[in-house]
């Protein structure tokens, strides 16, 4: 496995970390990382040739709530 990180902003959360700063920190820790503008863009960037991927959502409950809200 090659863990890949996509950092996203949390919509409507003023205390959200900047996705570029978070991805830079992940890269500094040795991870394959990049910023994404939103959750949909992050997921789309991880899917290659329509192959299934496993996603682990890490962050706050606000982020988890946004993921659930966007995906029914």
């Amino acid at each position: 496995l090659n863990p890949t990180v996509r950092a996203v902003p949390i919509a409507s959360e003023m205390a959200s970390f900047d996705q570029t700063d978070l991805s830079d920190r992940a890269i500094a820790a040795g991870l394959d990382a990049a910023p994404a503008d939103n959750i949909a863009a992050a997921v789309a960037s991880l899917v290659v040739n329509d192959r299934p991927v496993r996603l682990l959502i890490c962050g706050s409950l606000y982020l988890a709530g946004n993921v659930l809200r966007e995906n029914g």
Side-chain angles (χ1 to χ4, degrees):
L1 288 177
N2 184 20
T4 303
V5 174
R6 293 296 176 261
V8 297
I10 303 173
S12 73
E13 289 301 320
M14 297 301 291
S16 176
F17 284 102
D18 176 74
Q19 67 266 34
T20 301
D21 181 48
L22 284 177
S23 64
D24 288 345
R25 291 175 185 225
I27 290 167
L31 297 170
D32 175 10
D37 290 332
N38 54 53
I39 296 164
V43 172
S45 74
L46 297 171
V47 175
V48 178
N49 298 326
D50 292 327
R51 294 182 63 187
V53 296
R54 290 186 180 167
L55 299 175
L56 173 63
I57 308 298
C58 298
S60 70
L61 290 176
Y62 296 107
L63 177 60
N66 281 351
V67 171
L68 291 173
R69 188 172 25 267
E70 290 183 19
N71 292 286

